[in-house]
Amino acid sequence: HDAPPHQPPAPDPPHSGQGPACSGWLHKETRTAFQGAQKRWCEVWPGELRYFKRGGDRKGEAKTVPLSDAVLREDACKGGHVVVISTVDRAYRFRHQEQAVVHQWLRALAGACPQPQQQQQQQ
């Protein structure tokens, strides 16, 4: 039987491989509505999310989002579905058109967190 739609996806088991637990293109929403969203190559590693301006060749410096003490949740917007990572300093929003893809990212992120994290879905 399927979980109710308001239930967040269960976390993936902790990642122990050589590469990232999850990787791909997401649209990072900017802090101001005027700038919109920027396409970024993202990778989930133990304890952090890394994102790059360019693709899997990893050109350019990675920016990191720490996952310790982060709260993960799903949100929705006109452009699709959003992974929200709330840290002590700020909230990061990464968007994708497909909800299933967002759930995949949420599971990978939850599995990469150093400790079990709260997850909630925006009503």
Side-chain angles (χ1 to χ4, degrees):
H1 96 169
D2 290 298
H6 66 279
Q7 291 281 346
D12 281 349
H15 181 65
S16 60
Q18 297 293 321
C22 188
S23 62
W25 290 104
L26 294 173
H27 286 87
K28 181 182 172 290
E29 294 184 356
T30 59
R31 292 187 189 207
T32 63
F34 298 109
Q35 292 177 322
Q38 301 163 337
K39 190 174 182 181
R40 295 290 182 255
W41 179 260
C42 301
E43 299 177 347
V44 176
W45 292 87
E48 68 184 17
L49 170 75
R50 300 176 192 170
Y51 63 94
F52 304 82
K53 286 188 178 180
R54 296 190 182 170
D57 58 1
R58 294 194 187 159
K59 289 187 178 176
E61 188 175 331
K63 301 215 176 179
T64 59
V65 178
L67 297 177
S68 57
D69 299 319
V71 176
L72 307 173
R73 69 179 173 88
E74 178 184 356
D75 200 357
C77 67
K78 289 180 184 177
H81 301 272
V82 181
V83 173
V84 181
I85 306 168
S86 298
T87 66
V88 175
D89 298 324
R90 63 174 280 205
Y92 297 85
R93 297 174 57 90
F94 292 89
R95 185 172 73 212
H96 196 278
Q97 289 181 331
E98 296 179 35
Q99 187 175 30
V101 173
V102 166
H103 285 179
Q104 177 185 349
W105 281 93
L106 284 169
R107 284 192 302 270
L109 287 162
C113 287
Q115 58 199 21
Q117 301 298 306
Q118 275 186 313
Q119 291 187 13
Q120 55 191 3
Q121 184 170 352
Q122 185 83 6
Q123 296 296 326

